[in-house]
């Protein structure tokens, strides 16, 4: 009884918090499961409702009703706008949707701060609810009990609408068979827009009603989004009641779990999320991607196609025909030009800009590792910051222990990141498409939880600073000048990128390309696809570890924000900017992101997220194949001799035992498989690919 008394209030708080997450997650589940939109701006829709409700709240019932109506309507309109924004991406898979909606979230978050301010807003509830009642001998806020009742009624009402009404039947038909729905005279596009508007309305209503529980302020939208994703993954997309109970479980972990097991609670949610995703990817039959029938034409498609056509028709200058080496030299020329530009930067830029260039090289190596996984292995990832963090913290701790020689730090950091990738690799390589994104996201968030909790190694939220500077070689002096650090970063980046290009252009790279594009043929040829993917995941992890080590050396400090979800999204954006199989394009994309975030934003203080959001949106619409696709067709013309920028789907499940480059395994069949993949229909890395059974892989 004493234990019950001690934890009664946290348990009831968990129910209230869980039901708040349920209302938000119900909208997210509706958008993803029915409309087929992976909406990473759903937390911003919640924030729209929360800020609007808080601004209009005045402690009266009229103020609460007005705030509820206005907040719900504003988020509903934003949801309908999201439908129009994602319509051109209906055929491009969930990766493009994720990048677009994340960019919209950055833009929306910046605008909300400009309108309502950066401080958390106070929320005033009606006097009748702004009190406490007796609950089993304990005083408990009346508003939270009222919210619990409203959320239960909402769950029952939503289930009734979806299962017992014609509207619900139309929504289910739009998800399962849009052609049949169109045959009945209903417009699937209108249903699609209505679903996203309803999802936005749910998020907005949750924001207004939940503002007294999770107040509107910086970080609110990100926190709500991550927890809602966990709820959707645990509850699935088939039943609102499953989402309901998953939300209750998440709420209890966030409140009662923190009270009972404070050391374990931060890991439980994302560990459960990853476990559920892995089990589903192994045992459940993957569902085909949903989307409205008859995707609308991209409003900028004509402009984009004309631009590409002009660039492809434009002949090379006459002087290029006199270059030695023929076509091979002309393909390598852009790489040499880029190298010459990077070498000349210290003589052209000020100290601050040189430091930004060094940071861009570190982020560029992270982006290249994402290129290997997303473009070549067909495994789009949002969690590559995990091995990046391992390498970064390994270097910082090595420096504190007196190991300050650069090559030693790089090798040990790469080794630590490779071991980490080896441990988590089997969970990642068995999943496909959007499931890969969610699993890697969970791994990244788990790593972030470890970073915040393991203060003796990571410094916690304060990070690490004050460790000795790195020495380039044995017996050398510490590198303290920005020009020295940049030169060191450039040498490391050139070596790492050169090795990566050599591997990707080798028979091993052709094997990896074949596993991505023609997995069935690879299996029929006796190739161990699973081993190839695991080796690729380990190598990409090692490369990310090198990038993390380089970042610490250049910055001379390390904080959790340097290895968080935002950095993972930036790395994925850099890959999309450059072209999903262009290594050099990934470096250029990273440079553009750092310049936008830290240099251009300096001329417009406080609007860095807005500028980055615009960059996200513009990239998704204008560069579906990245910069590489503007010039050289599918392959990119960057001189890297890689596969097409748009992959045709994720590889299949792991095959027989073997190793990359094992004796008796010919690369010729992989090369032919890669050629067949290049001729296949263009799809982004996360788009479903038909399997040998004729069904789609997620």
């Amino acid at each position: 009884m004493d234990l019950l008394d001690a934890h009664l209030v946290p348990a009831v708080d968990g129910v209230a918090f869980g039901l708040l997450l349920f209302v938000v997650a119900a909208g997210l589940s509706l958008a993803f499961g029915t409309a087929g939109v992976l909406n990473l701006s759903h937390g911003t829709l919640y924030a729209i409702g929360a800020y609007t409700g808080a601004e209009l709240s005045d402690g009266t019932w009229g103020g609460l009703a007005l705030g509820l109506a206005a907040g719900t309507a504003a988020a509903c309109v934003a949801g309908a706008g999201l439908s129009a924004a994602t319509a051109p991406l209906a055929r491009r898979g969930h990766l493009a949707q994720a990048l677009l909606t994340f960019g919209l979230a950055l833009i929306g978050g910046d605008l909300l701060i400009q309108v309502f301010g950066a401080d958390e807003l106070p929320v005033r509830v009606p006097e009748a609810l702004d009190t406490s009642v007796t609950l089993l001998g304990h005083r408990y806020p009346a508003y939270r009990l009222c919210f619990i009742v409203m959320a239960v009624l909402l769950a029952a009402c939503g289930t009734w609408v979806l299962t017992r009404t014609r509207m619900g039947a139309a929504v289910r038909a739009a998800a399962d068979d849009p052609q049949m729905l169109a045959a009945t005279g209903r417009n699937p596009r209108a249903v699609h827009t209505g679903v996203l508007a309803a999802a936005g309305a749910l998020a907005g209503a949750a924001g207004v009603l939940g503002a007294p529980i999770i107040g509107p302020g910086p970080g609110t939208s990100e926190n709500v989004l991550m927890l809602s994703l966990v709820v959707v993954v645990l509850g699935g997309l088939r039943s609102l009641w499953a989402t309901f109970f998953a939300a209750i479980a998440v709420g209890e972990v966030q409140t009662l779990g923190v009270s009972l097991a404070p050391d374990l609670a931060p890991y439980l949610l994302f560990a459960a999320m990853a476990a559920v995703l892995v089990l589903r990817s192994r045992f459940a039959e993957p569902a085909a991607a949903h989307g409205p029938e008859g995707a609308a034409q991209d409003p900028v498609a004509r402009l984009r196609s004309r631009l590409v056509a002009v660039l492809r028709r434009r002949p090379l200058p006459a002087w290029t025909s006199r270059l030695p080496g023929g076509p091979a030299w002309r393909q390598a020329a852009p790489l040499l030009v880029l190298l010459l530009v990077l070498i000349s930067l210290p003589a052209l830029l000020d100290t601050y800009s040189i430091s930004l260039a060094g940071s861009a090289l570190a982020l560029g190596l992270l982006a290249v590792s994402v290129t290997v996984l997303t473009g070549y292995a067909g495994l789009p990832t949002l969690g590559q910051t995990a091995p990046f963090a391992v390498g970064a913290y390994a270097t910082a701790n090595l420096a504190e222990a007196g190991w300050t020689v650069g090559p030693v730090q790089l090798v040990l950091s790469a080794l630590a990141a490779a071991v980490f990738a080896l441990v988590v690799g089997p969970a990642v390589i068995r999943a496909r498409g959007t499931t890969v994104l969610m699993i890697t996201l969970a791994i990244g968030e788990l790593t972030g939880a470890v970073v915040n909790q393991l203060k003796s190694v990571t410094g916690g939220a304060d990070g690490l600073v004050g460790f000795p500077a790195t020495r380039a070689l044995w017996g050398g002096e510490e590198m303290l000048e920005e020009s020295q650090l940049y030169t060191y970063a450039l040498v490391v980046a050139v070596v790492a990128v050169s090795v990566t290009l050599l591997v990707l252009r080798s028979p091993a790279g052709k094997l990896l390309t074949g596993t991505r594009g023609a997995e069935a043929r690879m299996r029929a040829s006796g190739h161990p696809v699973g081993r190839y993917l695991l080796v690729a995941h380990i190598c990409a992890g090692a490369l990310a570890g090198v990038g993390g080590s380089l970042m610490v050396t250049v910055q001379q400090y390390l904080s959790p924000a340097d290895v968080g979800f935002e950095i993972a999204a930036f790395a994925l954006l850099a890959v999309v900017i450059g072209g999903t199989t262009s290594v050099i394009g990934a470096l250029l994309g990273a440079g553009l992101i750092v310049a936008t975030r830290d240099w251009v934003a300096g001329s417009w203080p406080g609007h860095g997220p807005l500028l980055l959001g615009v960059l996200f949106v513009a990239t998704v619409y204008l560069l579906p194949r990245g910069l590489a696709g503007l010039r050289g067709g599918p392959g990119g013309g960057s001189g890297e001799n890689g596969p097409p920028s748009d992959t045709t789907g994720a590889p299949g499940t792991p095959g027989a035992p073997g190793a990359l480059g094992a004796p008796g395994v010919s690369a010729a069949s992989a090369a032919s498989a890669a050629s067949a993949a290049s001729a296949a229909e263009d799809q982004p890395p996360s788009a479903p690919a038909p399997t040998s059974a004729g069904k789609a892989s997620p």
Side-chain angles (χ1 to χ4, degrees):
M1 184 61 68
D2 292 338
L3 182 63
L4 176 62
D5 288 340
H7 300 293
L8 176 63
V9 172
V12 180
D13 274 342
V15 173
F17 187 54
L19 289 174
L20 172 60
L21 293 178
F22 161 73
V23 179
V24 182
L28 185 61
S29 177
L30 194 63
F32 186 43
T34 302
V37 175
L38 180 57
N39 182 16
L40 296 186
S41 64
H42 200 70
T44 304
L45 298 178
Y46 173 93
I48 290 175
Y51 275 107
T52 304
E55 184 69 20
L56 296 176
S57 65
D58 57 2
T60 65
W61 289 101
L64 177 61
L66 179 60
L68 181 60
T72 302
C76 180
V77 171
L82 183 66
S83 175
T86 57
L89 310 180
R91 301 297 183 185
R92 290 175 54 188
H94 291 133
L95 178 60
Q97 293 175 353
L99 291 173
L100 174 67
T101 54
F102 185 77
L104 293 175
L106 291 175
I107 295 173
D110 184 85
L111 294 178
L112 286 175
I113 290 177
Q114 298 306 316
V115 173
F116 296 103
D119 298 329
E120 184 170 341
L121 295 182
V123 182
R124 290 170 289 179
V125 300
E127 184 178 355
L129 298 178
D130 191 18
T131 183
S132 59
V133 297
T134 302
L135 180 65
L136 298 179
H138 295 268
R139 303 297 294 177
Y140 193 76
Y143 183 85
R144 298 197 177 193
L145 288 178
C146 181
F147 181 83
I148 290 173
V149 174
M150 289 188 294
V152 172
L153 292 176
L154 180 62
C157 180
T159 301
W160 178 78
V161 170
L162 286 177
T163 59
R164 303 293 183 182
T165 66
R166 291 186 177 182
M167 183 186 302
V171 170
R172 299 197 309 274
D176 297 333
D177 195 345
Q179 292 181 343
M180 182 63 70
L181 178 65
T184 64
R186 293 180 180 270
N187 185 358
R189 167 55 55 192
V191 176
H192 180 268
T193 301
V195 167
L196 289 180
L202 282 173
V208 176
L209 297 176
I213 302 175
I214 304 180
T220 297
S221 59
E222 293 84 356
N223 184 37
V224 169
L225 173 65
M226 289 299 175
L227 293 176
S228 300
L229 283 173
V230 175
V231 171
V232 170
V233 169
L234 296 180
L237 302 173
R238 296 294 182 184
S239 170
L240 273 182
W241 286 111
T243 304
F244 177 87
F245 290 113
I248 295 296
V250 171
E252 292 296 347
V253 169
Q254 288 294 99
T255 55
L256 186 60
V258 171
S259 176
L260 294 175
D263 295 332
L264 295 178
Y267 310 106
L268 291 179
L269 291 181
F270 289 101
M273 175 180 173
V276 169
L277 287 169
V278 171
L279 290 175
R280 286 179 181 168
S281 66
R282 292 191 180 188
F283 301 113
E285 183 177 356
H290 299 303
E293 184 68 16
Q297 185 179 9
D298 190 334
V300 296
R302 293 184 179 179
L303 174 63
R304 188 177 63 216
S305 61
R306 289 180 181 178
L307 176 62
V308 173
V310 169
L311 290 175
R312 290 179 180 175
R313 286 197 304 265
R314 183 180 299 172
L316 291 173
W319 60 267
T320 59
S321 61
R322 298 190 295 271
L323 289 174
W329 175 264
R330 289 195 294 271
Q331 287 182 352
L335 308 183
L336 297 178
V337 171
L338 176 61
L339 181 59
L340 290 175
V341 170
L342 292 175
I343 292 174
S344 63
L345 286 184
L348 302 175
L349 302 178
D350 55 52
T351 301
Y352 176 67
S353 298
I354 293 174
S355 68
L356 293 183
S359 299
L361 289 173
L363 180 62
L365 291 184
L366 173 63
V368 171
S369 73
V370 175
T371 295
V372 173
L373 291 178
T374 299
Y376 285 84
L379 300 173
T381 174
L382 277 172
Q384 200 62 4
T385 46
F388 184 73
V390 171
Y393 281 102
T395 294
N397 281 276
L398 286 171
E400 286 188 338
W403 296 62
T404 58
V405 178
V408 174
Q409 292 179 344
L410 290 171
V411 171
L412 293 181
S413 297
L415 181 61
V419 171
F420 176 87
L422 173 63
V423 172
V424 303
V428 174
I429 64 173
R430 292 178 181 271
R432 303 295 173 262
T434 307
T435 305
V436 178
L437 284 174
M438 293 296 101
I439 290 178
T440 54
L441 173 61
I443 292 173
E445 291 300 311
L446 276 172
T447 305
V450 173
V451 166
N452 282 298
Q453 294 295 316
L454 201 60
K455 296 182 180 180
S456 60
V457 176
T458 66
D462 297 329
L464 296 175
V465 68
F467 43 82
T470 299
R471 294 177 291 144
L473 294 172
W474 289 267
E477 298 293 331
E478 291 184 346
M479 295 181 293
L480 300 176
E481 300 293 331
E482 296 296 344
S483 58
Q484 295 176 324
L485 292 171
Y486 173 76
T487 302
Y488 172 79
L490 180 59
V491 171
V492 173
V494 168
V495 172
V497 170
S498 300
V499 171
T500 302
L501 288 175
L502 288 174
V503 172
L504 292 178
R505 297 182 65 176
S506 69
K510 291 182 172 62
L511 289 171
L512 186 60
T513 302
T515 61
R516 185 209 71 235
E519 182 257 340
R521 292 183 61 180
M522 292 288 291
R523 286 188 176 282
S525 301
H527 292 277
V529 172
R531 293 293 179 89
Y532 297 165
L533 294 178
L534 181 59
V535 171
H537 191 266
I538 293 171
C539 293
L543 183 59
V546 172
S549 175
L550 198 59
M551 179 192 66
V552 171
T553 299
V554 171
Q555 291 186 169
Q556 288 297 298
Y557 67 88
L558 180 59
S559 69
D562 296 320
V563 294
F565 170 72
E566 190 175 71
I567 302 300
F570 290 165
L572 191 56
L573 175 64
V575 171
V576 174
I577 290 175
T580 54
T581 57
S582 174
V583 171
I584 304 304
L587 293 173
L588 293 175
L592 181 59
I593 290 172
V594 172
T596 302
R597 181 189 63 181
D598 299 320
W599 190 60
V600 177
S603 303
W604 197 13
H607 294 280
L610 175 64
L611 295 174
L612 286 170
V614 172
L615 181 61
F616 269 83
V617 174
T619 299
V620 171
Y621 282 137
L622 300 178
L623 298 173
R625 292 192 176 190
L627 295 173
L630 292 178
R631 184 69 181 176
S638 62
E640 300 167 43
N641 196 26
S645 291
D646 288 344
T647 63
T648 58
T653 51
L660 189 58
V665 177
S666 171
S669 59
S672 64
S675 300
S678 300
E681 181 182 1
D682 292 333
Q683 294 178 350
S686 61
T691 64
S692 58
K695 296 184 179 180
S697 298

